[in-house]
Amino acid sequence: MTLYECFAADLLCDRTVLVTGGGSGINLAIAKAFATVGANVGICGRTAERLELAAQELRGLGAEVCATVADVRDPEALENAVSRTVQQLGGLDTVVAGAAGNFLAPVEKISSNGFRTVLAIDLQGAFHTAQASFQQLKDRRGSILFVSAPQAHLPFDSQAHVGAAKAGVESLMRSLAIEWGPYGIRSNSIVPGPIDGTEGLRRVSEQVGLDTWTASTALGRCGTLEEVAAVAVALSCPLGGFITGARIDVDGGLALCGSGLFNRARSGARAPLL
Ligand code: HXC
């Protein structure tokens, strides 16, 4: 049995989702999971070629697709992505704020622009996504889902910029649950741990190796794209109807085990630089 067979094939057949950063990785996996259960799918991202390939995959799953080139740092580009999605797909029920940027660097080596860039993509981009979608979500009593990261809750060496950005995303998620709850809009986050085959894991495994990450989970393994995407669907369908303001860790127990193994490996790897 595949994970998606846990859901009815027409579970979200009259719904539309928009996924930022939906051209690749976890965000594309989420878009594909929604397509698999019948939703129509909007995706946006920075690279037209990548979006087109993703759109073809999503159409192959039976979804109507609207792909828009948009950088989440640009609020007008986000508004355009939302209005194109609404025009072409007939509305908007769920927004997934997934676009993110990351690199490994210790605080003393991050330029002001480097720090700002990650905050602008992850945190300000999430804010732009929420604001651009508000009217549609209000009209449809929809939901917003943020793709967060363990760095929001645990201090990881060389990830201060990401931790600051994602902690802000979690705070925004809770504020929206309070402010938009009266409109029937739900706001939640998922926190993927180490997920196989992602650019994020490739970047944070540099120098420390993958084993450090698997040993940092209670389950002793990486997660799969489908395991994250299935939770996104569950939170966005009636199963999640009374869940708002919640952070759901999809991390194999990483939050319990902590960042100590990574931090020791990372500080050992960069010690010669000091
Ligand atoms: C120090 C760096 C750097 C590095 C970039 N910068 N890489 N500083 N170390 N390795 C600095 C640059 O020098 C520049 O500052 C500033 O950041 C902006 O860089 P640009 O390349 O001009 O920005 P841009 O093209 O917009 O790229 C954004 C990016 C990039 C964040 C820097 O890495 C990116 O686009 N990433 C997207 C893909 C990605 O990161 N996916 C993983 C996300 S998920 P100056 O001062 O020189 O101008 C994730 C979760 C993992 O990470 C969780 C695992 C458990």
Side-chain angles (χ1 to χ4, degrees), residues 82-159:
V82 169
S83 66
R84 284 187 81 238
T85 303
V86 171
Q87 271 167 18
Q88 289 187 23
L89 304 180
L92 190 55
D93 302 281
T94 297
V95 176
V96 179
N102 194 4
F103 52 80
L104 278 177
V107 168
E108 70 276 16
K109 292 193 190 304
I110 305 173
S111 68
S112 174
N113 188 39
F115 192 84
R116 180 171 50 236
T117 297
V118 171
L119 258 80
I121 297 172
D122 291 25
L123 179 53
Q124 209 171 11
F127 169 76
H128 293 154
T129 303
Q131 213 172 43
S133 313
F134 170 63
Q135 192 57 49
Q136 287 301 319
L137 296 181
K138 186 177 167 207
D139 290 350
R140 308 274 282 241
R141 300 179 74 80
S143 82
I144 183 160
L145 182 63
F146 298 91
V147 181
S148 183
Q151 291 90 327
H153 313 286
L154 294 166
F156 283 82
D157 187 297
S158 303
Q159 292 282 266

Side-chain angles (χ1 to χ4, degrees), residues 260-271:
L261 280 181
F262 174 89
N263 291 338
R264 276 192 292 281
R266 174 71 192 160
S267 63
R270 69 183 176 88

Side-chain angles (χ1 to χ4, degrees), residues 3 14 33 40 44 90 103 117 150 159 177 189-190 194 202 217-218 233 237-238 240-241 253 255 257:
L3 249 180
D14 50 354
N40 293 321
C44 68
F103 52 80
T117 297
Q159 292 282 266
S189 71
I190 51 174
R202 189 191 67 72
T217 69
V233 168
C237 77
C257 299

Side-chain angles (χ1 to χ4, degrees), residues 46-109:
R46 285 192 281 176
T47 315
E49 298 73 29
R50 191 183 288 168
L51 281 179
E52 190 40 49
L53 286 174
Q56 281 171 21
E57 265 198 84
L58 293 165
R59 288 190 187 104
L61 293 169
E64 274 188 58
V65 180
C66 173
T68 308
V69 176
D71 186 323
V72 291
R73 289 171 284 191
D74 177 353
E76 286 176 11
L78 242 311
E79 276 165 25
N80 178 48
V82 169
S83 66
R84 284 187 81 238
T85 303
V86 171
Q87 271 167 18
Q88 289 187 23
L89 304 180
L92 190 55
D93 302 281
T94 297
V95 176
V96 179
N102 194 4
F103 52 80
L104 278 177
V107 168
E108 70 276 16
K109 292 193 190 304

